[in-house]
Amino acid sequence: MAESQVPYAYDPQSVDALKASLSPQRFETYLAKAGGDEHYAFALYLYNARLAKSLLFPLSVTEVTLRNAVNSVLVASHGESWHQDATLRNQVLTAQSLDALDRAFIRAKSNARGKVIAELTFDFWSKSLPCRLRGALENKGKYRVSRTATRARALRRSDVGEGDQ
């Protein structure tokens, strides 16, 4: 089915097996978009799979970056054991984020911050934190972006000899 594989024969038996594997309802969506052309419908399905694959790495990097930024803010404001801090748990976190944190403790089978962090979902890091914590992250992020841009400009200038004058 994929171009990187040996050419795939879309004989009637294989087409029926593929449609059954994908489910008739799912394949029908692609078949409708392909104007009834089964071969083109499989090409669309493959394109969709490749598109999803292409987004996996950037999404993973985004999650790790966001997680590390939130962790830094929480360590700065609530200490190394922020995940166990009563003030954070009772006064800062939303009910949704507190529930996610409690589930992470269960999955981690540990109180170690690193293990709990590894079990927290993207949902916890992205949208279940209160607005005031988001503001702290945005300010920290703006500072990092500003510092990085300044360094990049200085690097570019030194690359072309402007920084040596």
Side-chain angles (χ1 to χ4, degrees):
M1 199 165 155
E3 290 175 9
S4 62
Q5 298 174 338
V6 175
Y8 192 84
Y10 289 97
D11 59 77
Q13 186 178 3
S14 296
V15 168
D16 289 343
L18 279 169
K19 288 194 297 189
S21 294
L22 299 175
S23 87
Q25 298 83 2
R26 182 165 178 83
F27 185 69
E28 190 61 42
T29 302
Y30 293 92
L31 193 58
K33 292 283 184 193
D37 181 337
E38 288 183 334
H39 191 271
Y40 186 52
F42 284 120
L44 288 174
Y45 187 84
L46 182 58
Y47 175 78
N48 185 57
R50 286 185 177 137
L51 183 61
K53 179 183 174 185
S54 74
L55 296 174
L56 238 102
F57 180 72
L59 181 60
S60 176
V61 170
T62 300
E63 181 174 7
V64 170
T65 302
L66 178 62
R67 178 188 73 197
N68 291 341
V70 173
N71 180 58
S72 294
V73 169
L74 290 172
V75 166
S77 60
H78 295 280
E80 292 289 328
S81 297
W82 63 259
H83 59 299
Q84 296 174 317
D85 183 71
T87 302
L88 177 81
R89 294 177 61 82
N90 298 325
Q91 297 175 17
V92 177
L93 295 179
T94 64
Q96 182 182 5
S97 58
L98 182 58
D99 182 56
L101 181 59
D102 289 341
R103 283 185 275 123
F105 270 103
I106 293 166
R107 286 190 303 272
K109 298 177 183 153
S110 170
N111 288 341
R113 182 171 44 100
K115 291 184 185 248
V116 172
I117 286 172
E119 294 297 332
L120 286 165
T121 63
F122 188 74
D123 188 51
F124 174 85
W125 301 110
S126 64
K127 69 179 182 184
S128 63
L129 296 168
C131 291
R132 63 182 173 268
L133 187 55
R134 286 188 201 147
L137 286 169
E138 287 171 7
N139 289 336
K140 183 176 183 172
K142 287 175 189 170
Y143 174 70
R144 281 189 178 164
V145 168
S146 173
R147 273 191 4 206
T148 303
T150 301
R151 285 184 192 155
R153 280 191 298 275
L155 253 165
R156 284 194 302 272
R157 286 185 186 126
S158 68
D159 287 345
V160 295
E162 291 178 25
D164 300 328
Q165 298 173 352

mmCIF file of all heavy atoms in Angstrom, residues 81-129:
data_model
loop_
_atom_site.group_PDB
_atom_site.id
_atom_site.type_symbol
_atom_site.label_atom_id
_atom_site.label_comp_id
_atom_site.label_asym_id
_atom_site.label_seq_id
_atom_site.Cartn_x
_atom_site.Cartn_y
_atom_site.Cartn_z
ATOM 1 N N SER A 81 9.073 19.780 44.720
ATOM 2 C CA SER A 81 7.980 18.821 44.912
ATOM 3 C C SER A 81 6.628 19.464 44.631
ATOM 4 O O SER A 81 5.647 19.209 45.331
ATOM 5 C CB SER A 81 8.008 18.258 46.335
ATOM 6 O OG SER A 81 9.199 17.539 46.550
ATOM 7 N N TRP A 82 6.574 20.288 43.591
ATOM 8 C CA TRP A 82 5.334 20.995 43.268
ATOM 9 C C TRP A 82 4.164 20.048 43.101
ATOM 10 O O TRP A 82 3.041 20.388 43.446
ATOM 11 C CB TRP A 82 5.506 21.859 42.021
ATOM 12 C CG TRP A 82 5.824 21.121 40.750
ATOM 13 C CD1 TRP A 82 7.052 21.003 40.174
ATOM 14 C CD2 TRP A 82 4.913 20.426 39.896
ATOM 15 N NE1 TRP A 82 6.976 20.271 39.023
ATOM 16 C CE2 TRP A 82 5.662 19.896 38.822
ATOM 17 C CE3 TRP A 82 3.536 20.181 39.922
ATOM 18 C CZ2 TRP A 82 5.093 19.147 37.804
ATOM 19 C CZ3 TRP A 82 2.964 19.435 38.900
ATOM 20 C CH2 TRP A 82 3.741 18.926 37.857
ATOM 21 N N HIS A 83 4.423 18.868 42.581
ATOM 22 C CA HIS A 83 3.351 17.906 42.324
ATOM 23 C C HIS A 83 2.696 17.398 43.605
ATOM 24 O O HIS A 83 1.611 16.816 43.564
ATOM 25 C CB HIS A 83 3.879 16.745 41.472
ATOM 26 C CG HIS A 83 5.004 15.997 42.101
ATOM 27 N ND1 HIS A 83 6.219 16.592 42.427
ATOM 28 C CD2 HIS A 83 5.109 14.707 42.466
ATOM 29 C CE1 HIS A 83 7.003 15.685 42.959
ATOM 30 N NE2 HIS A 83 6.358 14.536 43.002
ATOM 31 N N GLN A 84 3.350 17.642 44.755
ATOM 32 C CA GLN A 84 2.794 17.236 46.048
ATOM 33 C C GLN A 84 2.444 18.440 46.926
ATOM 34 O O GLN A 84 1.967 18.263 48.035
ATOM 35 C CB GLN A 84 3.805 16.351 46.788
ATOM 36 C CG GLN A 84 4.094 15.051 46.068
ATOM 37 C CD GLN A 84 5.198 14.256 46.747
ATOM 38 O OE1 GLN A 84 6.216 14.805 47.165
ATOM 39 N NE2 GLN A 84 4.980 12.959 46.864
ATOM 40 N N ASP A 85 2.657 19.633 46.427
ATOM 41 C CA ASP A 85 2.439 20.850 47.199
ATOM 42 C C ASP A 85 0.949 21.082 47.455
ATOM 43 O O ASP A 85 0.146 21.158 46.518
ATOM 44 C CB ASP A 85 3.030 22.052 46.439
ATOM 45 C CG ASP A 85 2.893 23.335 47.216
ATOM 46 O OD1 ASP A 85 3.597 23.492 48.232
ATOM 47 O OD2 ASP A 85 2.065 24.169 46.796
ATOM 48 N N ALA A 86 0.572 21.187 48.729
ATOM 49 C CA ALA A 86 -0.838 21.332 49.102
ATOM 50 C C ALA A 86 -1.444 22.619 48.553
ATOM 51 O O ALA A 86 -2.595 22.626 48.096
ATOM 52 C CB ALA A 86 -0.978 21.293 50.625
ATOM 53 N N THR A 87 -0.702 23.713 48.576
ATOM 54 C CA THR A 87 -1.224 24.980 48.060
ATOM 55 C C THR A 87 -1.532 24.863 46.574
ATOM 56 O O THR A 87 -2.601 25.267 46.113
ATOM 57 C CB THR A 87 -0.223 26.129 48.306
ATOM 58 O OG1 THR A 87 0.028 26.216 49.706
ATOM 59 C CG2 THR A 87 -0.749 27.449 47.791
ATOM 60 N N LEU A 88 -0.607 24.300 45.827
ATOM 61 C CA LEU A 88 -0.827 24.122 44.395
ATOM 62 C C LEU A 88 -2.044 23.235 44.151
ATOM 63 O O LEU A 88 -2.922 23.572 43.359
ATOM 64 C CB LEU A 88 0.411 23.504 43.735
ATOM 65 C CG LEU A 88 0.253 23.222 42.244
ATOM 66 C CD1 LEU A 88 0.487 24.488 41.446
ATOM 67 C CD2 LEU A 88 1.195 22.134 41.796
ATOM 68 N N ARG A 89 -2.090 22.126 44.858
ATOM 69 C CA ARG A 89 -3.171 21.158 44.650
ATOM 70 C C ARG A 89 -4.534 21.732 45.046
ATOM 71 O O ARG A 89 -5.522 21.509 44.357
ATOM 72 C CB ARG A 89 -2.889 19.868 45.427
ATOM 73 C CG ARG A 89 -1.664 19.113 44.909
ATOM 74 C CD ARG A 89 -1.377 17.877 45.743
ATOM 75 N NE ARG A 89 -2.465 16.928 45.716
ATOM 76 C CZ ARG A 89 -2.681 16.034 44.740
ATOM 77 N NH1 ARG A 89 -1.877 15.989 43.711
ATOM 78 N NH2 ARG A 89 -3.695 15.204 44.806
ATOM 79 N N ASN A 90 -4.582 22.475 46.143
ATOM 80 C CA ASN A 90 -5.876 22.930 46.671
ATOM 81 C C ASN A 90 -6.304 24.315 46.199
ATOM 82 O O ASN A 90 -7.488 24.634 46.239
ATOM 83 C CB ASN A 90 -5.848 22.921 48.202
ATOM 84 C CG ASN A 90 -5.616 21.516 48.739
ATOM 85 O OD1 ASN A 90 -6.076 20.539 48.167
ATOM 86 N ND2 ASN A 90 -4.884 21.426 49.829
ATOM 87 N N GLN A 91 -5.354 25.159 45.776
ATOM 88 C CA GLN A 91 -5.707 26.530 45.448
ATOM 89 C C GLN A 91 -5.371 26.962 44.021
ATOM 90 O O GLN A 91 -5.891 27.963 43.553
ATOM 91 C CB GLN A 91 -5.010 27.489 46.424
ATOM 92 C CG GLN A 91 -5.457 27.295 47.862
ATOM 93 C CD GLN A 91 -4.667 28.176 48.822
ATOM 94 O OE1 GLN A 91 -4.019 29.136 48.420
ATOM 95 N NE2 GLN A 91 -4.730 27.849 50.104
ATOM 96 N N VAL A 92 -4.506 26.236 43.339
ATOM 97 C CA VAL A 92 -4.055 26.679 42.018
ATOM 98 C C VAL A 92 -4.618 25.809 40.903
ATOM 99 O O VAL A 92 -5.163 26.319 39.927
ATOM 100 C CB VAL A 92 -2.508 26.720 41.949
ATOM 101 C CG1 VAL A 92 -2.041 27.109 40.557
ATOM 102 C CG2 VAL A 92 -1.954 27.669 43.008
ATOM 103 N N LEU A 93 -4.452 24.511 41.019
ATOM 104 C CA LEU A 93 -4.881 23.623 39.948
ATOM 105 C C LEU A 93 -6.395 23.587 39.805
ATOM 106 O O LEU A 93 -7.124 23.665 40.796
ATOM 107 C CB LEU A 93 -4.368 22.200 40.193
ATOM 108 C CG LEU A 93 -2.853 21.999 40.155
ATOM 109 C CD1 LEU A 93 -2.512 20.547 40.441
ATOM 110 C CD2 LEU A 93 -2.273 22.435 38.832
ATOM 111 N N THR A 94 -6.839 23.454 38.583
ATOM 112 C CA THR A 94 -8.265 23.265 38.333
ATOM 113 C C THR A 94 -8.641 21.844 38.744
ATOM 114 O O THR A 94 -7.761 20.987 38.911
ATOM 115 C CB THR A 94 -8.585 23.455 36.837
ATOM 116 O OG1 THR A 94 -7.907 22.431 36.101
ATOM 117 C CG2 THR A 94 -8.183 24.835 36.336
ATOM 118 N N ALA A 95 -9.914 21.573 38.871
ATOM 119 C CA ALA A 95 -10.371 20.220 39.219
ATOM 120 C C ALA A 95 -9.899 19.222 38.164
ATOM 121 O O ALA A 95 -9.466 18.111 38.487
ATOM 122 C CB ALA A 95 -11.889 20.193 39.361
ATOM 123 N N GLN A 96 -9.954 19.645 36.921
ATOM 124 C CA GLN A 96 -9.542 18.779 35.812
ATOM 125 C C GLN A 96 -8.046 18.458 35.902
ATOM 126 O O GLN A 96 -7.638 17.314 35.735
ATOM 127 C CB GLN A 96 -9.860 19.456 34.485
ATOM 128 C CG GLN A 96 -9.514 18.634 33.266
ATOM 129 C CD GLN A 96 -9.799 19.382 31.971
ATOM 130 O OE1 GLN A 96 -10.172 20.547 31.971
ATOM 131 N NE2 GLN A 96 -9.599 18.706 30.858
ATOM 132 N N SER A 97 -7.223 19.473 36.173
ATOM 133 C CA SER A 97 -5.783 19.224 36.243
ATOM 134 C C SER A 97 -5.408 18.439 37.496
ATOM 135 O O SER A 97 -4.500 17.609 37.458
ATOM 136 C CB SER A 97 -4.988 20.524 36.140
ATOM 137 O OG SER A 97 -5.360 21.414 37.151
ATOM 138 N N LEU A 98 -6.123 18.653 38.587
ATOM 139 C CA LEU A 98 -5.870 17.890 39.805
ATOM 140 C C LEU A 98 -6.198 16.411 39.581
ATOM 141 O O LEU A 98 -5.443 15.528 39.990
ATOM 142 C CB LEU A 98 -6.688 18.447 40.973
ATOM 143 C CG LEU A 98 -6.471 17.770 42.326
ATOM 144 C CD1 LEU A 98 -5.004 17.844 42.741
ATOM 145 C CD2 LEU A 98 -7.345 18.433 43.389
ATOM 146 N N ASP A 99 -7.300 16.147 38.894
ATOM 147 C CA ASP A 99 -7.666 14.768 38.569
ATOM 148 C C ASP A 99 -6.599 14.119 37.692
ATOM 149 O O ASP A 99 -6.200 12.976 37.913
ATOM 150 C CB ASP A 99 -9.034 14.741 37.871
ATOM 151 C CG ASP A 99 -9.483 13.333 37.552
ATOM 152 O OD1 ASP A 99 -9.556 12.490 38.482
ATOM 153 O OD2 ASP A 99 -9.752 13.054 36.357
ATOM 154 N N ALA A 100 -6.106 14.863 36.694
ATOM 155 C CA ALA A 100 -5.063 14.338 35.807
ATOM 156 C C ALA A 100 -3.784 14.056 36.595
ATOM 157 O O ALA A 100 -3.119 13.041 36.368
ATOM 158 C CB ALA A 100 -4.786 15.327 34.679
ATOM 159 N N LEU A 101 -3.450 14.948 37.534
ATOM 160 C CA LEU A 101 -2.261 14.758 38.357
ATOM 161 C C LEU A 101 -2.405 13.516 39.237
ATOM 162 O O LEU A 101 -1.477 12.703 39.343
ATOM 163 C CB LEU A 101 -2.002 16.003 39.208
ATOM 164 C CG LEU A 101 -0.778 15.986 40.110
ATOM 165 C CD1 LEU A 101 0.503 15.774 39.307
ATOM 166 C CD2 LEU A 101 -0.700 17.288 40.908
ATOM 167 N N ASP A 102 -3.563 13.336 39.842
ATOM 168 C CA ASP A 102 -3.798 12.154 40.682
ATOM 169 C C ASP A 102 -3.712 10.863 39.873
ATOM 170 O O ASP A 102 -3.146 9.865 40.332
ATOM 171 C CB ASP A 102 -5.156 12.260 41.389
ATOM 172 C CG ASP A 102 -5.149 13.310 42.485
ATOM 173 O OD1 ASP A 102 -4.051 13.697 42.955
ATOM 174 O OD2 ASP A 102 -6.255 13.758 42.873
ATOM 175 N N ARG A 103 -4.248 10.882 38.667
ATOM 176 C CA ARG A 103 -4.153 9.695 37.798
ATOM 177 C C ARG A 103 -2.701 9.412 37.417
ATOM 178 O O ARG A 103 -2.289 8.263 37.309
ATOM 179 C CB ARG A 103 -5.025 9.851 36.562
ATOM 180 C CG ARG A 103 -6.509 9.615 36.872
ATOM 181 C CD ARG A 103 -7.401 9.654 35.643
ATOM 182 N NE ARG A 103 -7.752 11.054 35.388
ATOM 183 C CZ ARG A 103 -7.519 11.707 34.264
ATOM 184 N NH1 ARG A 103 -6.973 11.114 33.238
ATOM 185 N NH2 ARG A 103 -7.851 12.980 34.134
ATOM 186 N N ALA A 104 -1.910 10.466 37.233
ATOM 187 C CA ALA A 104 -0.493 10.292 36.897
ATOM 188 C C ALA A 104 0.266 9.635 38.049
ATOM 189 O O ALA A 104 1.125 8.779 37.820
ATOM 190 C CB ALA A 104 0.138 11.635 36.543
ATOM 191 N N PHE A 105 -0.068 10.016 39.295
ATOM 192 C CA PHE A 105 0.546 9.364 40.464
ATOM 193 C C PHE A 105 0.264 7.866 40.440
ATOM 194 O O PHE A 105 1.155 7.060 40.690
ATOM 195 C CB PHE A 105 -0.014 9.950 41.775
ATOM 196 C CG PHE A 105 0.745 11.125 42.293
ATOM 197 C CD1 PHE A 105 0.250 12.406 42.128
ATOM 198 C CD2 PHE A 105 1.947 10.968 42.972
ATOM 199 C CE1 PHE A 105 0.934 13.504 42.612
ATOM 200 C CE2 PHE A 105 2.637 12.062 43.461
ATOM 201 C CZ PHE A 105 2.131 13.334 43.287
ATOM 202 N N ILE A 106 -0.969 7.507 40.144
ATOM 203 C CA ILE A 106 -1.360 6.093 40.116
ATOM 204 C C ILE A 106 -0.586 5.346 39.032
ATOM 205 O O ILE A 106 -0.035 4.269 39.282
ATOM 206 C CB ILE A 106 -2.883 5.946 39.919
ATOM 207 C CG1 ILE A 106 -3.617 6.480 41.151
ATOM 208 C CG2 ILE A 106 -3.269 4.498 39.624
ATOM 209 C CD1 ILE A 106 -5.106 6.707 40.956
ATOM 210 N N ARG A 107 -0.536 5.923 37.827
ATOM 211 C CA ARG A 107 0.178 5.261 36.727
ATOM 212 C C ARG A 107 1.681 5.184 36.992
ATOM 213 O O ARG A 107 2.332 4.215 36.632
ATOM 214 C CB ARG A 107 -0.086 5.992 35.411
ATOM 215 C CG ARG A 107 -1.461 5.754 34.839
ATOM 216 C CD ARG A 107 -1.599 6.282 33.420
ATOM 217 N NE ARG A 107 -1.295 7.695 33.285
ATOM 218 C CZ ARG A 107 -2.175 8.686 33.439
ATOM 219 N NH1 ARG A 107 -3.442 8.401 33.721
ATOM 220 N NH2 ARG A 107 -1.818 9.945 33.291
ATOM 221 N N ALA A 108 2.237 6.216 37.635
ATOM 222 C CA ALA A 108 3.674 6.258 37.902
ATOM 223 C C ALA A 108 4.078 5.264 38.986
ATOM 224 O O ALA A 108 5.230 4.838 39.030
ATOM 225 C CB ALA A 108 4.100 7.666 38.304
ATOM 226 N N LYS A 109 3.132 4.934 39.859
ATOM 227 C CA LYS A 109 3.421 4.049 40.998
ATOM 228 C C LYS A 109 4.620 4.582 41.792
ATOM 229 O O LYS A 109 5.447 3.823 42.285
ATOM 230 C CB LYS A 109 3.681 2.616 40.520
ATOM 231 C CG LYS A 109 2.493 2.001 39.819
ATOM 232 C CD LYS A 109 2.801 0.622 39.298
ATOM 233 C CE LYS A 109 1.585 0.127 38.547
ATOM 234 N NZ LYS A 109 1.873 -0.812 37.528
ATOM 235 N N SER A 110 4.697 5.910 41.864
ATOM 236 C CA SER A 110 5.819 6.566 42.527
ATOM 237 C C SER A 110 5.434 8.011 42.826
ATOM 238 O O SER A 110 4.553 8.573 42.189
ATOM 239 C CB SER A 110 7.023 6.543 41.592
ATOM 240 O OG SER A 110 8.069 7.347 42.084
ATOM 241 N N ASN A 111 6.129 8.595 43.804
ATOM 242 C CA ASN A 111 5.954 10.021 44.094
ATOM 243 C C ASN A 111 7.058 10.857 43.460
ATOM 244 O O ASN A 111 7.061 12.079 43.615
ATOM 245 C CB ASN A 111 5.946 10.259 45.610
ATOM 246 C CG ASN A 111 4.671 9.753 46.256
ATOM 247 O OD1 ASN A 111 3.673 9.552 45.590
ATOM 248 N ND2 ASN A 111 4.722 9.536 47.556
ATOM 249 N N ALA A 112 7.991 10.212 42.770
ATOM 250 C CA ALA A 112 9.104 10.929 42.149
ATOM 251 C C ALA A 112 8.573 11.864 41.057
ATOM 252 O O ALA A 112 7.821 11.440 40.178
ATOM 253 C CB ALA A 112 10.106 9.948 41.570
ATOM 254 N N ARG A 113 8.956 13.134 41.141
ATOM 255 C CA ARG A 113 8.440 14.139 40.204
ATOM 256 C C ARG A 113 8.643 13.725 38.750
ATOM 257 O O ARG A 113 7.726 13.823 37.933
ATOM 258 C CB ARG A 113 9.084 15.501 40.478
ATOM 259 C CG ARG A 113 8.548 16.608 39.573
ATOM 260 C CD ARG A 113 9.030 17.991 39.991
ATOM 261 N NE ARG A 113 10.419 18.059 40.327
ATOM 262 C CZ ARG A 113 11.382 18.515 39.510
ATOM 263 N NH1 ARG A 113 11.075 18.972 38.326
ATOM 264 N NH2 ARG A 113 12.628 18.550 39.897
ATOM 265 N N GLY A 114 9.820 13.272 38.400
ATOM 266 C CA GLY A 114 10.100 12.882 37.017
ATOM 267 C C GLY A 114 9.184 11.782 36.512
ATOM 268 O O GLY A 114 8.724 11.819 35.369
ATOM 269 N N LYS A 115 8.903 10.819 37.370
ATOM 270 C CA LYS A 115 8.012 9.719 36.966
ATOM 271 C C LYS A 115 6.570 10.191 36.827
ATOM 272 O O LYS A 115 5.859 9.786 35.925
ATOM 273 C CB LYS A 115 8.122 8.558 37.961
ATOM 274 C CG LYS A 115 9.463 7.876 37.879
ATOM 275 C CD LYS A 115 9.534 6.669 38.782
ATOM 276 C CE LYS A 115 10.933 6.112 38.759
ATOM 277 N NZ LYS A 115 11.047 4.834 38.146
ATOM 278 N N VAL A 116 6.153 11.069 37.729
ATOM 279 C CA VAL A 116 4.792 11.610 37.653
ATOM 280 C C VAL A 116 4.651 12.479 36.403
ATOM 281 O O VAL A 116 3.669 12.364 35.661
ATOM 282 C CB VAL A 116 4.432 12.410 38.940
ATOM 283 C CG1 VAL A 116 3.098 13.125 38.788
ATOM 284 C CG2 VAL A 116 4.412 11.466 40.150
ATOM 285 N N ILE A 117 5.652 13.314 36.140
ATOM 286 C CA ILE A 117 5.624 14.174 34.955
ATOM 287 C C ILE A 117 5.497 13.336 33.685
ATOM 288 O O ILE A 117 4.737 13.671 32.776
ATOM 289 C CB ILE A 117 6.891 15.063 34.895
ATOM 290 C CG1 ILE A 117 6.791 16.171 35.940
ATOM 291 C CG2 ILE A 117 7.100 15.643 33.510
ATOM 292 C CD1 ILE A 117 8.071 16.970 36.093
ATOM 293 N N ALA A 118 6.237 12.237 33.636
ATOM 294 C CA ALA A 118 6.202 11.372 32.450
ATOM 295 C C ALA A 118 4.812 10.783 32.212
ATOM 296 O O ALA A 118 4.455 10.449 31.081
ATOM 297 C CB ALA A 118 7.230 10.261 32.583
ATOM 298 N N GLU A 119 4.026 10.673 33.256
ATOM 299 C CA GLU A 119 2.689 10.094 33.139
ATOM 300 C C GLU A 119 1.594 11.133 32.890
ATOM 301 O O GLU A 119 0.451 10.773 32.620
ATOM 302 C CB GLU A 119 2.344 9.289 34.397
ATOM 303 C CG GLU A 119 3.211 8.061 34.598
ATOM 304 C CD GLU A 119 3.057 7.037 33.486
ATOM 305 O OE1 GLU A 119 1.978 6.962 32.854
ATOM 306 O OE2 GLU A 119 4.033 6.302 33.233
ATOM 307 N N LEU A 120 1.927 12.400 32.993
ATOM 308 C CA LEU A 120 0.923 13.438 32.739
ATOM 309 C C LEU A 120 0.670 13.562 31.240
ATOM 310 O O LEU A 120 1.600 13.495 30.436
ATOM 311 C CB LEU A 120 1.382 14.775 33.319
ATOM 312 C CG LEU A 120 1.281 14.862 34.843
ATOM 313 C CD1 LEU A 120 2.071 16.041 35.376
ATOM 314 C CD2 LEU A 120 -0.168 14.943 35.283
ATOM 315 N N THR A 121 -0.567 13.760 30.878
ATOM 316 C CA THR A 121 -0.940 13.830 29.471
ATOM 317 C C THR A 121 -0.790 15.243 28.925
ATOM 318 O O THR A 121 -0.700 16.217 29.673
ATOM 319 C CB THR A 121 -2.408 13.392 29.289
ATOM 320 O OG1 THR A 121 -3.242 14.314 29.998
ATOM 321 C CG2 THR A 121 -2.638 11.979 29.801
ATOM 322 N N PHE A 122 -0.793 15.353 27.605
ATOM 323 C CA PHE A 122 -0.715 16.650 26.939
ATOM 324 C C PHE A 122 -1.855 17.554 27.405
ATOM 325 O O PHE A 122 -1.683 18.757 27.542
ATOM 326 C CB PHE A 122 -0.758 16.446 25.419
ATOM 327 C CG PHE A 122 -0.504 17.696 24.644
ATOM 328 C CD1 PHE A 122 0.777 18.217 24.553
ATOM 329 C CD2 PHE A 122 -1.526 18.359 24.001
ATOM 330 C CE1 PHE A 122 1.036 19.375 23.836
ATOM 331 C CE2 PHE A 122 -1.281 19.514 23.271
ATOM 332 C CZ PHE A 122 0.001 20.022 23.196
ATOM 333 N N ASP A 123 -3.001 16.972 27.673
ATOM 334 C CA ASP A 123 -4.159 17.737 28.134
ATOM 335 C C ASP A 123 -3.826 18.491 29.429
ATOM 336 O O ASP A 123 -4.176 19.653 29.583
ATOM 337 C CB ASP A 123 -5.342 16.790 28.346
ATOM 338 C CG ASP A 123 -6.623 17.533 28.643
ATOM 339 O OD1 ASP A 123 -6.962 18.451 27.875
ATOM 340 O OD2 ASP A 123 -7.278 17.206 29.648
ATOM 341 N N PHE A 124 -3.137 17.834 30.346
ATOM 342 C CA PHE A 124 -2.757 18.491 31.605
ATOM 343 C C PHE A 124 -1.888 19.707 31.314
ATOM 344 O O PHE A 124 -2.117 20.790 31.836
ATOM 345 C CB PHE A 124 -1.989 17.519 32.503
ATOM 346 C CG PHE A 124 -1.447 18.161 33.761
ATOM 347 C CD1 PHE A 124 -2.247 18.286 34.885
ATOM 348 C CD2 PHE A 124 -0.145 18.637 33.812
ATOM 349 C CE1 PHE A 124 -1.755 18.887 36.050
ATOM 350 C CE2 PHE A 124 0.354 19.242 34.967
ATOM 351 C CZ PHE A 124 -0.457 19.362 36.081
ATOM 352 N N TRP A 125 -0.887 19.533 30.463
ATOM 353 C CA TRP A 125 0.077 20.586 30.201
ATOM 354 C C TRP A 125 -0.508 21.712 29.363
ATOM 355 O O TRP A 125 -0.092 22.852 29.487
ATOM 356 C CB TRP A 125 1.311 20.023 29.498
ATOM 357 C CG TRP A 125 1.996 18.961 30.282
ATOM 358 C CD1 TRP A 125 2.044 17.630 29.979
ATOM 359 C CD2 TRP A 125 2.713 19.123 31.504
ATOM 360 N NE1 TRP A 125 2.765 16.962 30.936
ATOM 361 C CE2 TRP A 125 3.179 17.848 31.888
ATOM 362 C CE3 TRP A 125 3.015 20.213 32.315
ATOM 363 C CZ2 TRP A 125 3.940 17.645 33.033
ATOM 364 C CZ3 TRP A 125 3.758 19.996 33.461
ATOM 365 C CH2 TRP A 125 4.218 18.734 33.810
ATOM 366 N N SER A 126 -1.450 21.411 28.504
ATOM 367 C CA SER A 126 -1.899 22.417 27.544
ATOM 368 C C SER A 126 -3.102 23.237 27.963
ATOM 369 O O SER A 126 -3.127 24.439 27.746
ATOM 370 C CB SER A 126 -2.190 21.765 26.199
ATOM 371 O OG SER A 126 -3.258 20.849 26.324
ATOM 372 N N LYS A 127 -4.109 22.620 28.563
ATOM 373 C CA LYS A 127 -5.316 23.414 28.771
ATOM 374 C C LYS A 127 -5.962 23.319 30.138
ATOM 375 O O LYS A 127 -6.879 24.073 30.411
ATOM 376 C CB LYS A 127 -6.359 23.056 27.710
ATOM 377 C CG LYS A 127 -6.948 21.679 27.822
ATOM 378 C CD LYS A 127 -7.970 21.450 26.737
ATOM 379 C CE LYS A 127 -8.595 20.087 26.871
ATOM 380 N NZ LYS A 127 -9.502 19.787 25.818
ATOM 381 N N SER A 128 -5.495 22.455 30.993
ATOM 382 C CA SER A 128 -6.209 22.321 32.258
ATOM 383 C C SER A 128 -5.592 23.141 33.377
ATOM 384 O O SER A 128 -6.060 23.108 34.496
ATOM 385 C CB SER A 128 -6.281 20.851 32.667
ATOM 386 O OG SER A 128 -4.993 20.336 32.889
ATOM 387 N N LEU A 129 -4.567 23.903 33.069
ATOM 388 C CA LEU A 129 -3.961 24.743 34.092
ATOM 389 C C LEU A 129 -4.683 26.087 34.158
ATOM 390 O O LEU A 129 -5.202 26.561 33.159
ATOM 391 C CB LEU A 129 -2.484 24.957 33.775
ATOM 392 C CG LEU A 129 -1.656 23.659 33.825
ATOM 393 C CD1 LEU A 129 -0.289 23.909 33.226
ATOM 394 C CD2 LEU A 129 -1.535 23.137 35.232
#
